[in-house]
Amino acid sequence: MMSDSKKDCFAHGGVLLFLFALQFFLPAYHHGNMARIMVLASYAIGYNLLFGYTGLLSLGHAIFFAAGLYGSGLAISQFGFSVGVALVIGVAAGCVLSAVIGALALRTEGVAFMIVTLMFAQAGYLTVLYFGEFTRGDEGFVLAHADRVLWGVSLSDQTSKYFSAFSLFCVSLIMCLALVRSRFGKVLIAIRENEERTQMLGYNVVWYKFCTIILSGSISALAGATYALLFGYVGASFASVEYSIYPLLWVLLGGAGTVIGPLVGMIFMFYLIDLSSGVTTAYMLVAGVVLVFLAVFAPQGVMGEVRSRIWKWLS
Amino acid sequence: MMTTTKTVAEKAASKPTRRDALRTLGLGGAVAASMPLWARYAGAQTAEPIKVGFQVHRTGIGAAYGRWYDRTTSAAAALINEQGGINGRPLEVIAEDDGTDPKRGAEVVEKFAAKHNCDIGFGTLFSHVVIGSAPRVGELKLPYFVVSEGHHVASGMLNRYTLQPGITDVKSQVQAMAPFVADNLGKKVTMVFPDFAFGHDHRDYFTAAIEAQGGEVLEHIAIPPTETSFTKYFPKIPRETEVIYHVMVGPAVLTFVKELGEFFGPQRPEMFGFIDSLEAVDIGSPGLEFLDGTYFWEGNPRYAQENQSEYDAFFRERVGVDANGASVSDPRDVSTYAHMFGCWETLHVVKAGMEASGYRGTQDRAALIEAVEAMTDLPHSIAHPQGAKVFNGKTHQVFGKQYISKVVDGKMLLVHTTSIEDTFYPDEVDYTTQSL
Amino acid sequence: MDFGPYLMLAIMEGALTAAVLALTASGLALVFGVMRVVNVAHGEFFMLGAVLAWWVTQLAGGSPVLGFLLALCVVPVLVGMLAAFVDMTILKRINYDPERTIVATIGILYILQQVTLMTYGPEARPVAPPFNARIALPWIDMSDGTLRLYWPWGLSITSYKLFVIGAACVVLLGLWALMTKTKLGLLMRATEQDREMALAFGIPVQRIYAIAFGLGAGMAALAAVLIVPIQQAHYLMGGDPLLLSFIVVIIGGLGSLPGAILAALLIGLSDGIISIFFSPTLAKIFATLFVAFVLVFRPKGLWGTGKP
């Protein structure tokens, strides 16, 4: 009999192997979709660290995603940096921004935290519009194919796109898994479950939260930077409030506080819209009804239900 | 990607079966990871309909435009099919909603190329969706015919697979207005525009153009995109303003015009606006009485004029638009008449391009691009009901006449038509130097 | 325009924004206070109010006054009943769990938007105001030591805008009376303070919830009916009111009705006044950051009672 911890590792390793193998079987359309899904699922993983494990509900994560997106995009379009450097700049932008916002927002909690993060993200969105000279505002700008080459590999190529997205997802998932299985992660869960008791046990709760915000913001920025580099478009819609709500939705659907939940939620939402739009023009209606049903019948999200009913050992 | 440059014959010959794919997998990850993807981009089937992937704004902020783009496209496709299709093959329009969102837009063009195996992508209006989709289109080598009036194509920002042959761009529209404004309305202008890229284009191009006419812009008033009330910005309009140049988009434009009227009361300066503000809106709506006597740019006159061309009459009839620019089945359903002709004209350009290049299937996409690039004069005809046009193959942008109308008794009366030459500006890009 | 009249104009416009916002936000605050859930679909009830107002005025035919009065009476009730129905069929079943409520109300948001798009369409449609006279306002000028009354260029308001501000005050007074002077208000306040205790005392908490939810949505719809002759009905118009009333509710101190109204005044007025001094987009950036910093330094809201 395998130990639960081993099962857990194998299960997540299996998911990664499956995603790797998938690229050889998927038809072209779904191949492209999966690349996109994995990038956005990494964003959701970043979000889940803060929301699902630490219990901090942010409504402003789009600013971190956009920091990566614009950090790397502008580094290339305005300063002509290479892809590698641009990626680092994107993540650094997210890291710094999350530290600043984290330091301020952690003075609040609960709904006030939601609003403070929402407001900072709105200010970020408006800032993108304000500097339209460089960002082209809502229209956004494109990164030329020739500028999107990493170590001689063109990121606009289908195969390398999938592979880059997969690598990003691997990094995010393994990091998340390692973190939540570590002592640090256990403290985070303790904070989520009972913040006062954790504090009384001598943990510096605010410090743990602060570190998690930075980590979460940086992963989100990494996903944003990768999105810009793989798909060649940087636009203000990614900084809008919708892109703060989406990760929350994906995480809740897939299962908050599960490592694989963000991916499941993202796949679910993507194909829900994609498939229903093939059947009816009223696909939003379908999406709406499904969301209501999920809220009623699967309160912990897909993976949360799986964990509470079948695989109790799942991280 | 090595694959799309291969001919279809090669593709068909080397098209692997699923078992082959499995065997390849057995060879090991490193080799497999770089496995070419031609398997997934299967070749075209001949004697099939020509598939036009229509990226339509069914939901989201562009829905009012999308509905009329949809109707115009259906009417144009029906006409082309009645006339025998393209190269003897019927035209099939495959519409996908992009939600007026650049991310979904890129996914949709991918769906056209990879899932529906469309011959071209077509029909996008909102600039951010065009720009969001264009990189993907270039990678997929899918000819992408946009109907957006943005300057993004001619500015050189996009790529050789993106063309705009059916509607003029904002830069040419705006600069062609300056002589009329300076000569007839006044030389001291205050501009009110939305504070994002579309508005900035107006700001930059019109300011330069009016200065070339000896006029000046006294004040630029940029309105934040999320704004729903406007009166508080109007005091920034200088007293000595002779003309207010306004262009707003989005559902709040009615409020904007109404509040402008309430602000000025009886003593207003001359006003010149872009009809974009009031597309799909009845000029006779309550609160818009204030617009009487003001001037508008129109891409195509919404109200049937006295000297209406037979082509315009035919176009109206086929799309189902009455003499007031509203749906024949519901007079309250006002069309986006100043823009939607672009869908009709673009589909006819596609037809002409496919016939000129002897287009057979997706392997001839590059030839289609070259055939369209070779076009120059597009005469006023059933295919081009808005007026004669000149296509610039280097910048992938079409140029044409612009119309200026005056609101008289709740209707718009054409008062000025620019020449095509008024809309020219020096080339900013030569897409033909890019590889196909 | 001179500074004085400009400020006056900005304040009046701000007051209008504040009036509508106070109505919408007090609906959200009521729901939040009594039920402790975030209703993401609140803005859609606002939108529905505007769209239904258009329908009703169309049905009423010619007279704008009659159509408007009819809409004012019928629409909030219709929307309120729909909301109560949503509460009884959906929210009740998910036990008012905060997170599940977010997912479910996002779903309801999609449903309401799509149904409106399919029936009402994508256009922005105006409703004729019942009356709308432009009232030019005077200003006092000090020159050469004498006071002089003059009519500055552009300084004006319409009678309808004044009516909206007045009507909002009346409705808010009515709501205050309902909450403090009636039995229903008492029951709602009891439920708000302690649900378990309320249950133990035999208060039909379930029914109170449905009423609160319906009342909250009805307030949003009423605000929409009032504003629709100024702004047009459009199927995506619910986003901004949701965001703003959300902010107002939090700044005002969770679930506190007077707090929400004060916060609405603060936000509405500052929105108008800040726009005098900065370029509009920059003004919006400062306004949003201002809200963030208010909360950073007063995490419980400006008039919060302590319960987060």
Side-chain angles (χ1 to χ4, degrees):
Chain A
M1 187 71 192
M2 235 191 288
S3 77
D4 282 355
S5 164
K6 263 193 181 156
K7 274 191 213 163
D8 192 25
C9 289
F10 273 110
H12 289 99
V15 168
L16 290 182
L17 258 180
F18 177 72
L19 284 175
F20 179 78
L22 209 54
Q23 60 177 313
F24 306 111
F25 304 104
L26 282 178
Y29 175 56
H30 301 287
H31 188 270
N33 288 345
M34 270 319 284
R36 225 176 271 274
I37 286 172
M38 284 189 290
V39 174
L40 292 173
S42 305
Y43 173 32
I45 285 180
Y47 186 82
N48 192 24
L49 268 183
L50 193 63
F51 170 62
Y53 288 102
T54 322
L56 284 172
L57 202 165
S58 148
L59 284 182
H61 255 50
I63 197 174
F64 304 133
F65 188 79
L69 192 83
Y70 278 96
S72 61
L74 290 174
I76 289 174
S77 73
Q78 297 290 325
F79 305 104
F81 283 117
S82 70
V83 164
V85 179
L87 196 66
V88 173
I89 293 177
V91 177
C95 188
V96 171
L97 209 55
S98 52
V100 173
I101 293 179
L104 291 166
L106 278 179
R107 294 176 54 100
T108 64
E109 54 186 4
V111 271
F113 182 82
M114 288 158 69
I115 296 292
V116 170
T117 47
L118 177 69
M119 288 296 100
F120 278 119
Q122 273 300 89
Y125 170 67
L126 291 168
T127 306
V128 168
L129 297 185
Y130 187 70
F131 291 102
E133 202 182 321
F134 310 105
T135 62
R136 290 293 299 159
D138 61 313
E139 255 184 31
F141 57 91
V142 299
L143 302 177
H145 298 188
D147 293 336
R148 286 153 51 207
V149 176
L150 182 63
W151 302 315
V153 181
S154 168
L155 294 179
S156 41
D157 171 76
Q158 245 339 305
T159 310
S160 55
K161 200 173 276 185
Y162 190 97
F163 199 76
S164 317
F166 175 72
S167 312
L168 166 73
F169 185 73
C170 275
V171 168
S172 318
L173 185 127
I174 291 171
M175 218 151 95
C176 177
L177 187 65
L179 187 85
V180 301
R181 290 164 57 90
S182 70
R183 224 179 68 94
F184 188 91
K186 303 272 187 279
V187 178
L188 295 187
I189 295 171
I191 293 173
R192 179 188 70 193
E193 296 303 322
N194 193 332
E195 183 168 340
E196 279 164 23
R197 188 177 295 172
T198 316
Q199 183 121 39
M200 287 206 298
L201 286 171
Y203 291 101
N204 185 345
V205 167
V206 174
W207 174 250
Y208 276 90
K209 285 182 178 173
F210 182 64
C211 292
T212 314
I213 287 187
I214 292 181
L215 202 58
S216 168
S218 304
I219 294 179
S220 304
L222 178 63
T226 313
Y227 194 92
L229 297 171
L230 292 191
F231 300 101
Y233 173 69
V234 176
S237 65
F238 291 102
S240 65
V241 64
E242 280 86 357
Y243 279 82
S244 294
I245 306 279
Y246 286 148
L248 171 67
L249 191 61
W250 298 330
V251 165
L252 283 175
L253 283 178
T258 63
V259 174
I260 205 69
L263 178 72
V264 174
M266 178 65 219
I267 293 179
F268 183 90
M269 202 59 206
F270 184 94
Y271 278 102
L272 178 64
I273 296 222
D274 194 61
L275 294 177
S276 54
S277 76
V279 183
T280 164
T281 53
Y283 63 87
M284 296 275 283
L285 192 63
V286 178
V289 171
V290 170
L291 286 183
V292 171
F293 270 83
L294 262 174
V296 174
F297 297 110
Q300 302 179 56
V302 178
M303 291 319 287
E305 294 295 325
V306 167
R307 175 164 63 190
S308 68
R309 284 161 205 237
I310 314 168
W311 299 326
K312 303 226 177 337
W313 38 262
L314 201 67
S315 276
Chain B
M1 197 158 82
M2 63 203 85
T3 61
T4 30
T5 50
K6 286 192 178 182
T7 67
V8 159
E10 277 174 321
K11 276 185 196 167
S14 56
K15 189 178 172 179
T17 61
R18 176 140 299 184
R19 206 182 304 138
D20 289 331
L22 280 168
R23 203 181 299 140
T24 318
L25 180 62
L27 288 177
V31 183
S34 60
M35 189 183 89
L37 282 174
W38 27 254
R40 297 165 196 135
Y41 292 94
Q45 303 93 340
T46 45
E48 291 271 307
I50 286 181
K51 291 183 183 170
V52 172
F54 178 28
Q55 202 178 28
V56 53
H57 307 322
R58 281 221 171 96
T59 51
I61 198 77
Y65 278 96
R67 147 188 300 213
W68 281 99
Y69 267 42
D70 203 355
R71 289 172 184 166
T72 313
T73 301
S74 305
L79 177 68
I80 289 172
N81 282 335
E82 277 171 32
Q83 293 170 341
I86 298 175
N87 292 334
R89 292 164 60 190
L91 193 67
E92 185 189 349
V93 175
I94 297 172
E96 286 275 355
D97 180 16
D98 58 26
T100 327
D101 173 47
K103 170 182 164 285
R104 185 63 195 155
E107 290 162 11
V108 162
V109 291
E110 192 153 332
K111 201 169 183 180
F112 290 148
K115 190 175 179 202
H116 299 310
N117 201 22
C118 289
D119 295 277
I120 62 165
F122 158 83
T124 327
L125 169 67
F126 271 58
S127 295
H128 62 320
V129 185
V130 170
I131 297 169
S133 307
R136 210 50 207 119
V137 163
E139 289 163 15
L140 295 163
K141 299 191 183 294
L142 177 77
Y144 184 43
F145 293 87
V146 301
V147 191
S148 149
E149 80 169 354
H151 180 54
H152 37 55
V153 176
S155 71
M157 183 197 227
L158 306 179
N159 53 56
R160 196 167 176 188
Y161 279 86
T162 310
L163 305 103
Q164 188 154 250
I167 192 165
T168 58
D169 74 329
V170 59
K171 182 168 183 177
S172 65
Q173 294 167 0
V174 165
Q175 72 170 36
M177 295 301 107
F180 178 85
V181 171
D183 293 344
N184 299 291
L185 305 181
K187 291 196 192 304
K188 290 179 178 165
V189 184
T190 291
M191 297 183 71
V192 186
F193 53 88
D195 197 8
F196 52 74
F198 175 72
H200 297 166
D201 281 348
H202 276 271
R203 177 192 65 196
D204 298 342
Y205 303 136
F206 186 78
T207 305
I210 196 83
E211 280 167 6
Q213 297 293 326
E216 61 172 327
V217 176
L218 300 175
E219 186 76 40
H220 290 113
I221 300 176
I223 310 270
T226 52
E227 192 53 86
T228 50
S229 78
F230 303 91
T231 305
K232 56 182 178 272
Y233 301 117
F234 296 146
K236 291 187 194 287
I237 298 171
R239 282 290 310 249
E240 60 272 31
T241 299
E242 292 168 0
V243 191
I244 291 180
Y245 177 108
H246 63 99
V247 50
M248 294 294 293
V249 282
V253 291
L254 264 170
T255 318
F256 169 77
V257 172
K258 234 166 82 64
E259 295 197 330
L260 201 57
E262 282 156 8
F263 178 78
F264 283 114
Q267 13 153 239
R268 69 162 169 78
E270 290 288 357
M271 305 228 328
F272 179 85
F274 264 63
I275 196 67
D276 301 57
S277 309
L278 294 166
E279 282 283 70
V281 174
D282 188 352
I283 297 292
S285 299
L288 296 189
E289 302 80 8
F290 167 70
L291 287 174
D292 224 55
T294 71
Y295 295 84
F296 278 101
W297 165 88
E298 285 198 283
N300 200 14
R302 178 190 294 182
Y303 289 84
Q305 304 294 319
E306 276 189 2
N307 59 349
Q308 179 196 28
S309 72
E310 56 179 310
Y311 310 124
D312 185 59
F314 180 76
F315 171 72
R316 267 177 211 272
E317 188 204 321
R318 294 294 301 218
V319 181
V321 177
D322 66 15
N324 294 329
S327 164
V328 285
S329 55
D330 179 3
R332 286 180 311 190
D333 187 359
V334 177
S335 69
T336 58
Y337 207 74
H339 295 85
M340 66 194 203
F341 69 89
C343 292
W344 175 286
E345 299 206 359
T346 305
L347 268 192
H348 281 92
V349 168
V350 169
K351 173 182 153 84
M354 285 185 168
E355 285 172 353
S357 63
Y359 185 89
R360 288 160 300 156
T362 47
Q363 74 274 23
D364 293 332
R365 280 171 177 166
L368 170 63
I369 299 279
E370 285 170 338
V372 177
E373 281 172 350
M375 292 180 183
T376 48
D377 285 322
L378 309 170
H380 195 194
S381 58
I382 282 183
H384 300 281
Q386 185 261 357
K389 292 194 179 54
V390 176
F391 185 69
N392 183 336
K394 286 183 178 167
T395 63
H396 284 192
Q397 176 60 52
V398 82
F399 293 84
K401 291 175 179 167
Q402 308 297 332
Y403 301 101
I404 296 173
S405 302
K406 185 177 186 181
V407 183
V408 179
D409 300 330
K411 292 192 174 189
M412 281 185 287
L413 197 69
L414 182 65
V415 291
H416 180 71
T417 305
T418 72
S419 70
I420 298 183
E421 288 71 28
D422 286 347
T423 71
F424 288 158
Y425 52 82
D427 291 358
E428 291 167 23
V429 63
D430 184 356
Y431 282 118
T432 58
T433 59
Q434 296 181 3
S435 63
L436 273 161
Chain C
M1 191 183 258
D2 296 332
F3 181 72
Y6 190 176
L7 186 67
M8 171 86 180
L9 190 78
I11 288 175
M12 285 186 308
E13 287 301 311
L16 179 71
T17 312
V20 177
L21 191 52
L23 284 183
T24 321
S26 61
L28 193 68
L30 188 72
V31 170
F32 206 106
V34 176
M35 301 164 70
R36 297 276 143 199
V37 294
V38 177
N39 174 18
V40 183
H42 191 67
E44 302 317 305
F45 290 124
F46 179 89
M47 178 274 287
L48 219 51
V51 166
L52 286 177
W54 182 84
W55 279 114
V56 170
T57 47
Q58 290 296 306
L59 285 178
S63 162
V65 180
L66 181 74
F68 180 77
L69 281 178
L70 206 61
L72 208 53
C73 302
V74 175
V75 171
V77 177
L78 281 180
V79 174
M81 275 162 53
L82 177 75
F85 175 76
V86 165
D87 173 78
M88 288 185 291
T89 50
I90 298 170
L91 296 191
K92 181 182 154 195
R93 303 188 59 144
I94 58 180
N95 234 344
Y96 305 97
D97 174 89
E99 284 166 13
R100 292 163 75 188
T101 306
I102 290 178
V103 178
T105 47
I106 289 178
I108 292 163
L109 175 150
Y110 281 163
I111 294 172
L112 291 180
Q113 271 188 11
Q114 184 69 42
V115 169
T116 310
L117 178 62
M118 290 192 309
T119 50
Y120 170 83
E123 296 89 1
R125 299 178 203 248
V127 169
F131 47 87
N132 197 31
R134 178 177 185 273
I135 305 170
L137 298 173
W139 188 256
I140 299 164
D141 186 34
M142 246 312 232
S143 59
D144 310 329
T146 52
L147 286 178
R148 188 172 61 89
L149 205 65
Y150 76 114
W151 306 85
W153 175 74
L155 182 59
S156 69
I157 193 162
T158 64
S159 54
Y160 185 74
K161 283 183 179 175
L162 286 177
F163 165 74
V164 172
I165 297 173
C169 295
V170 171
V171 173
L172 288 172
L173 277 175
L175 185 68
W176 172 78
L178 177 81
M179 289 305 280
T180 51
K181 309 277 178 205
T182 66
K183 181 156 181 255
L184 180 65
L186 184 70
L187 295 183
M188 281 203 262
R189 280 182 293 139
T191 313
E192 177 177 350
Q193 274 169 13
D194 194 331
R195 178 170 189 252
E196 304 302 315
M197 195 63 89
L199 267 174
F201 274 93
I203 294 176
V205 167
Q206 194 54 58
R207 203 180 304 157
I208 293 293
Y209 274 14
I211 290 172
F213 203 70
L215 194 59
M219 291 289 288
L222 184 65
V225 176
L226 284 174
I227 200 68
V228 80
I230 300 175
Q231 288 165 17
Q232 291 68 36
H234 184 258
Y235 85 109
L236 291 175
M237 74 191 296
D240 266 14
L242 171 70
L243 214 60
L244 281 174
S245 27
F246 199 36
I247 293 163
V248 162
V249 169
I250 311 296
I251 290 261
L254 278 184
S256 146
L257 271 180
I261 290 161
L262 280 175
L265 260 178
L266 179 78
I267 298 227
L269 286 179
S270 65
D271 183 56
I273 293 169
I274 291 179
S275 69
I276 299 178
F277 300 103
F278 300 101
S279 86
T281 302
L282 201 57
K284 288 263 177 226
I285 297 178
F286 284 135
T288 27
L289 286 178
F290 169 73
V291 173
F293 279 98
V294 164
L295 279 178
V296 166
F297 297 104
R298 290 291 305 258
K300 302 241 159 72
L302 287 177
W303 300 277
T305 46
K307 255 187 311 189

Short mmCIF file of all heavy atoms in Angstrom, two decimals, chain B residues 68-90:
data_model
loop_
_atom_site.label_atom_id
_atom_site.label_comp_id
_atom_site.label_asym_id
_atom_site.label_seq_id
_atom_site.Cartn_x
_atom_site.Cartn_y
_atom_site.Cartn_z
N TRP B 68 -25.59 43.92 -37.21
CA TRP B 68 -25.73 44.42 -38.57
C TRP B 68 -24.62 43.94 -39.49
O TRP B 68 -24.83 43.75 -40.68
CB TRP B 68 -25.84 45.95 -38.57
CG TRP B 68 -27.22 46.37 -38.19
CD1 TRP B 68 -27.65 46.78 -36.98
CD2 TRP B 68 -28.37 46.36 -39.04
NE1 TRP B 68 -28.99 47.03 -37.01
CE2 TRP B 68 -29.46 46.78 -38.26
CE3 TRP B 68 -28.59 46.02 -40.38
CZ2 TRP B 68 -30.75 46.89 -38.77
CZ3 TRP B 68 -29.87 46.13 -40.90
CH2 TRP B 68 -30.93 46.56 -40.09
N TYR B 69 -23.44 43.73 -38.93
CA TYR B 69 -22.38 43.12 -39.73
C TYR B 69 -22.83 41.73 -40.16
O TYR B 69 -22.58 41.29 -41.28
CB TYR B 69 -21.09 43.04 -38.90
CG TYR B 69 -20.17 44.22 -39.09
CD1 TYR B 69 -20.66 45.51 -39.16
CD2 TYR B 69 -18.79 44.04 -39.24
CE1 TYR B 69 -19.81 46.59 -39.34
CE2 TYR B 69 -17.94 45.11 -39.43
CZ TYR B 69 -18.45 46.39 -39.48
OH TYR B 69 -17.61 47.45 -39.67
N ASP B 70 -23.51 41.05 -39.26
CA ASP B 70 -24.02 39.71 -39.53
C ASP B 70 -25.03 39.75 -40.68
O ASP B 70 -24.94 38.99 -41.65
CB ASP B 70 -24.67 39.18 -38.25
CG ASP B 70 -24.73 37.66 -38.22
OD1 ASP B 70 -24.35 37.06 -39.23
OD2 ASP B 70 -25.15 37.11 -37.19
N ARG B 71 -25.98 40.67 -40.58
CA ARG B 71 -27.02 40.74 -41.61
C ARG B 71 -26.41 41.11 -42.96
O ARG B 71 -26.79 40.55 -44.00
CB ARG B 71 -28.06 41.79 -41.22
CG ARG B 71 -28.91 41.33 -40.05
CD ARG B 71 -29.80 42.45 -39.56
NE ARG B 71 -30.54 42.03 -38.38
CZ ARG B 71 -31.18 42.87 -37.57
NH1 ARG B 71 -31.17 44.16 -37.82
NH2 ARG B 71 -31.83 42.41 -36.51
N THR B 72 -25.48 42.07 -42.96
CA THR B 72 -24.88 42.49 -44.23
C THR B 72 -24.08 41.35 -44.85
O THR B 72 -24.14 41.11 -46.06
CB THR B 72 -23.95 43.70 -44.00
OG1 THR B 72 -24.64 44.65 -43.20
CG2 THR B 72 -23.54 44.33 -45.30
N THR B 73 -23.34 40.65 -44.03
CA THR B 73 -22.54 39.55 -44.53
C THR B 73 -23.42 38.45 -45.11
O THR B 73 -23.14 37.92 -46.20
CB THR B 73 -21.68 38.98 -43.38
OG1 THR B 73 -20.85 40.03 -42.89
CG2 THR B 73 -20.82 37.83 -43.86
N SER B 74 -24.51 38.12 -44.43
CA SER B 74 -25.42 37.10 -44.95
C SER B 74 -25.98 37.54 -46.29
O SER B 74 -26.06 36.75 -47.23
CB SER B 74 -26.58 36.87 -43.99
OG SER B 74 -26.08 36.55 -42.73
N ALA B 75 -26.36 38.82 -46.39
CA ALA B 75 -26.93 39.31 -47.64
C ALA B 75 -25.90 39.24 -48.77
O ALA B 75 -26.22 38.82 -49.89
CB ALA B 75 -27.41 40.75 -47.46
N ALA B 76 -24.67 39.63 -48.48
CA ALA B 76 -23.63 39.60 -49.51
C ALA B 76 -23.35 38.17 -49.95
O ALA B 76 -23.21 37.88 -51.14
CB ALA B 76 -22.36 40.27 -49.00
N ALA B 77 -23.27 37.26 -48.97
CA ALA B 77 -22.99 35.86 -49.30
C ALA B 77 -24.12 35.28 -50.14
O ALA B 77 -23.89 34.56 -51.13
CB ALA B 77 -22.81 35.05 -48.02
N ALA B 78 -25.36 35.63 -49.78
CA ALA B 78 -26.51 35.12 -50.56
C ALA B 78 -26.44 35.62 -51.99
O ALA B 78 -26.68 34.87 -52.94
CB ALA B 78 -27.81 35.57 -49.91
N LEU B 79 -26.09 36.89 -52.15
CA LEU B 79 -25.99 37.47 -53.50
C LEU B 79 -24.89 36.76 -54.30
O LEU B 79 -25.11 36.36 -55.46
CB LEU B 79 -25.67 38.96 -53.40
CG LEU B 79 -25.47 39.66 -54.75
CD1 LEU B 79 -26.79 39.73 -55.51
CD2 LEU B 79 -24.90 41.06 -54.56
N ILE B 80 -23.74 36.59 -53.69
CA ILE B 80 -22.63 35.95 -54.40
C ILE B 80 -23.01 34.52 -54.80
O ILE B 80 -22.73 34.07 -55.91
CB ILE B 80 -21.36 35.96 -53.52
CG1 ILE B 80 -20.83 37.40 -53.43
CG2 ILE B 80 -20.29 35.04 -54.07
CD1 ILE B 80 -19.70 37.61 -52.45
N ASN B 81 -23.69 33.84 -53.91
CA ASN B 81 -24.11 32.47 -54.24
C ASN B 81 -25.15 32.44 -55.36
O ASN B 81 -25.11 31.55 -56.21
CB ASN B 81 -24.64 31.76 -52.99
CG ASN B 81 -23.50 31.30 -52.11
OD1 ASN B 81 -22.38 31.08 -52.59
ND2 ASN B 81 -23.75 31.17 -50.82
N GLU B 82 -26.07 33.42 -55.35
CA GLU B 82 -27.04 33.48 -56.45
C GLU B 82 -26.35 33.68 -57.78
O GLU B 82 -26.80 33.19 -58.82
CB GLU B 82 -27.99 34.67 -56.24
CG GLU B 82 -29.13 34.39 -55.30
CD GLU B 82 -29.89 35.67 -54.98
OE1 GLU B 82 -29.96 36.56 -55.86
OE2 GLU B 82 -30.39 35.77 -53.85
N GLN B 83 -25.25 34.41 -57.73
CA GLN B 83 -24.53 34.71 -58.98
C GLN B 83 -23.54 33.59 -59.34
O GLN B 83 -22.67 33.77 -60.17
CB GLN B 83 -23.77 36.03 -58.84
CG GLN B 83 -24.70 37.23 -58.71
CD GLN B 83 -23.96 38.49 -58.33
OE1 GLN B 83 -22.83 38.41 -57.81
NE2 GLN B 83 -24.56 39.63 -58.55
N GLY B 84 -23.65 32.47 -58.67
CA GLY B 84 -22.82 31.33 -59.04
C GLY B 84 -21.62 31.08 -58.15
O GLY B 84 -20.75 30.27 -58.47
N GLY B 85 -21.57 31.77 -57.04
CA GLY B 85 -20.50 31.52 -56.09
C GLY B 85 -19.14 32.03 -56.55
O GLY B 85 -19.06 32.92 -57.40
N ILE B 86 -18.10 31.46 -55.99
CA ILE B 86 -16.73 31.87 -56.34
C ILE B 86 -16.05 30.71 -57.04
O ILE B 86 -15.95 29.61 -56.49
CB ILE B 86 -15.94 32.25 -55.08
CG1 ILE B 86 -16.59 33.45 -54.39
CG2 ILE B 86 -14.49 32.55 -55.44
CD1 ILE B 86 -15.97 33.83 -53.08
N ASN B 87 -15.58 30.93 -58.26
CA ASN B 87 -14.97 29.85 -59.05
C ASN B 87 -15.87 28.63 -59.09
O ASN B 87 -15.40 27.49 -59.02
CB ASN B 87 -13.60 29.45 -58.47
CG ASN B 87 -12.58 30.56 -58.65
OD1 ASN B 87 -12.70 31.38 -59.56
ND2 ASN B 87 -11.60 30.61 -57.78
N GLY B 88 -17.15 28.88 -59.17
CA GLY B 88 -18.10 27.78 -59.26
C GLY B 88 -18.38 27.08 -57.94
O GLY B 88 -19.13 26.11 -57.90
N ARG B 89 -17.80 27.57 -56.88
CA ARG B 89 -18.04 26.94 -55.58
C ARG B 89 -18.87 27.87 -54.70
O ARG B 89 -18.66 29.08 -54.70
CB ARG B 89 -16.70 26.63 -54.89
CG ARG B 89 -15.93 25.54 -55.62
CD ARG B 89 -14.49 25.52 -55.18
NE ARG B 89 -14.36 25.27 -53.74
CZ ARG B 89 -13.20 25.41 -53.09
NH1 ARG B 89 -12.12 25.83 -53.72
NH2 ARG B 89 -13.14 25.14 -51.81
N PRO B 90 -19.78 27.29 -53.95
CA PRO B 90 -20.60 28.16 -53.08
C PRO B 90 -19.77 28.74 -51.93
O PRO B 90 -18.75 28.17 -51.54
CB PRO B 90 -21.67 27.20 -52.56
CG PRO B 90 -21.06 25.86 -52.65
CD PRO B 90 -20.13 25.87 -53.83
#
